[in-house]
């Protein structure tokens, strides 16, 4: 199907696989509902692809690879220049569509689009990014060159919390580098990315270069086991990232698997407390806490704790929960009733484990939206790292507050978490910030920043239990991941 402006709107449409340039129904008969998390209204049924559907998609990607690889990088890049313009042209309607299927507010959805577009922009640089190296006379009369070549078909498996941006962390780089791709989007909110695929087609992406199979674990497992897949880019929970890393590694594939998070925000006594309160509250409650870079535990060092406590409580109490399409809404619902129950379960467990619940979001209601998956801002004090709310990823609007006597104690507390995705320090001391950067042992570090999000041209990914692999998403790592360096030694 070719897209025109009219098709890029926020209304529901059927959800289909996209194989060899055509929207097609998979062979399996299973499906799952996709639901508007704000209203509870059905948006469509996502089909569950089988191993046979994966075979068909991989066959299409394999068939498209030789001609696409032969397409000069500068021509491949032009497709992405056109896609960038189309995404910008349709940014507002795509953002609205995202609010409807994900629930976060319009500004957050615009931000997601913008970050996705920046990856498309970066992929436009592929003719330069893919260049190799040459050294004349490595031995008398012998020259040596290292060239980058694409590897074939890559699989991309993405989560629900950034259903447009995260696929764009990967497939534009893979495809610009000359590979072809089979994408398996999240089954919870797969609609808006379909419109991105329409735009990619409109930008001139040939059939078979990007393919989409919908589904759940069965489709992912088929991709991991498929001999035609050269590598897998995954983002999701650490539990699944671990399984996928092992399976794909055992099948001899390249893997980059980005997992979950429990991000600590450490506040020193010399911090700017108003800045801290703004940054902490928007980091922890933005997107209803459903971001891998969201802060989770605020650690006040010495006097800082007493100074930030009231400010954080005041700002959190003023947050407006509601329909993300309405002006002035700070926080939307969580993605599903099941996830809401999971988050509520964590709040119950925090109370049971003895943390002090100073703001309780369990009773949140939004007039006019009785079927939304609401959880209001929730804050615990006296959170210990051994409590479930102190160590597990909750992925909801729940803040834990802890005290530490020194920054070293705060780092030690942070290291008791298995995760290592992001952290932030708040201080006015350059020396303290530098020491923190040195000792934090976490991959994405914010200094006076609430969401330590690297831009498209820097690597994105965590460490410890938050990341499995070595080459990260975005940046130069993407070009490394999606190409093989081949060395040619020549004597004439
Ligand atoms: P998820 O792990 O449940 O699902 C992610 C993908 O894996 C989906 O496409 C899903 O269909 C598939 N999947 C689920 N179970 C599977 C299984 N057993 N075998 C194979 N595939 C399976 O994650 P989610 O709930 O969609 O997303 C939220 C998670 O993603 C959070 O943990 C969050 O921290 C993480 N996340 C991490 C980053 C990062 O950069 N590290 C970014 C965004 C989200």
């Amino acid at each position: 199907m070719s897209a025109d402006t009219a098709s890029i709107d926020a209304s529901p449409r059927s959800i289909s696989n996209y194989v060899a340039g055509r929207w097609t129904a998979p062979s399996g008969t299973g499906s799952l509902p996709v639901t508007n998390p704000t209203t509870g209204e059905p948006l469509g049924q996502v089909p569950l692809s089988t191993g046979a559907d994966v075979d068909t998609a991989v066959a299409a990607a394999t068939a498209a690879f030789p001609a696409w690889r032969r397409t000069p990088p500068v021509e491949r890049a032009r497709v992405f220049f056109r896609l960038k313009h189309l995404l910008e042209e349709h940014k507002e309607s795509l953002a609205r569509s995202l609010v409807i299927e994900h629930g976060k507010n319009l500004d957050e959805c615009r931000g997601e689009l913008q970050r996705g577009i920046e990856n498309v922009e970066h992929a436009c640089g592929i003719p330069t990014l893919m260049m190799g190296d040459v050294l004349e006379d490595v031995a008398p009369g012998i020259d040596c060159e290292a060239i980058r070549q694409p590897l074939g078909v890559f699989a991309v498996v993405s989560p629900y919390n950034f259903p447009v941006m995260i696929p764009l962390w990967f497939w534009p780089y893979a495809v610009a580098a000359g590979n072809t791709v089979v994408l398996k989007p999240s089954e919870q909110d797969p609609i808006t990315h379909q419109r991105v695929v329409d735009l990619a087609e409109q930008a001139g992406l040939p059939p078979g270069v990007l393919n989409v199979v919908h589904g759940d674990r069965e489709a992912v497992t088929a991709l991991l086991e498929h001999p035609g897949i050269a590598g897998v880019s995954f983002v999701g929970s650490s539990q699944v990232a671990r399984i996928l890393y092992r399976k794909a590694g055992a099948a001899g594939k390249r893997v980059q698997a980005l997992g979950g998070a429990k991000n600590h925000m450490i506040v020193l006594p010399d911090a700017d407390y108003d800045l801290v309160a703004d940054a902490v509250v928007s980091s922890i409650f933005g997107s209803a806490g459903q971001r891998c870079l969201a802060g989770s535990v605020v650690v006040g060092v010495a006097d800082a704790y007493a100074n930030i406590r009231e400010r954080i409580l005041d700002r959190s109490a003023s947050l407006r929960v509601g329909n993300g399409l309405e002006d002035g809404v700070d926080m939307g619902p969580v993605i599903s009733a099941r996830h809401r129950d999971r988050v509520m379960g964590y709040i119950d467990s925090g109370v049971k484990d003895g943390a002090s619940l100073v703001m309780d979001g369990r009773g949140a209601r939004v007039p006019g939206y009785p079927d939304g998956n609401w959880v209001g801002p929730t804050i615990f004090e006296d959170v210990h790292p051994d409590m479930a709310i102190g160590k597990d990823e909750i992925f909801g609007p729940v803040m834990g507050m802890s005290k530490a006597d020194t920054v070293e104690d705060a780092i030690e507390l942070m290291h008791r978490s298995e995760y290592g995705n992001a952290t932030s320090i708040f201080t006015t001391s350059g020396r303290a910030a530098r020491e923190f950067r040195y000792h934090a042992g976490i991959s994405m570090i914010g200094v006076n920043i609430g969401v330590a999000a690297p831009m498209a041209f820097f690597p994105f990914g965590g460490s410890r239990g938050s990341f499995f692999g070595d080459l990260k998403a975005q940046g130069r790592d993407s070009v490394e991941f999606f190409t093989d360096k081949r060395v040619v030694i020549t004597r004439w």
Side-chain angles (χ1 to χ4, degrees), residues 157-162 166 169 184-188 215-218 220-221 224 234-241 243-244 247 258-261 290-293 393 395 421 444 460-462 466:
V157 179
S158 56
Y160 81 82
N161 66 323
F162 286 98
I166 289 181
W169 278 356
K184 206 300 285 171
S186 169
E187 62 275 36
Q188 300 196 73
D216 58 9
R217 175 189 182 152
E218 184 181 347
V220 178
T221 304
L224 298 182
F234 171 87
V235 182
S237 57
S238 288
Q239 189 194 359
V240 179
I243 299 171
L244 181 131
K247 277 193 183 164
L258 286 71
Q290 301 164 104
R291 291 188 289 201
C292 70
L293 293 179
E393 179 180 47
F395 222 54
N421 208 44
M444 294 182 276
F460 192 116
S466 293

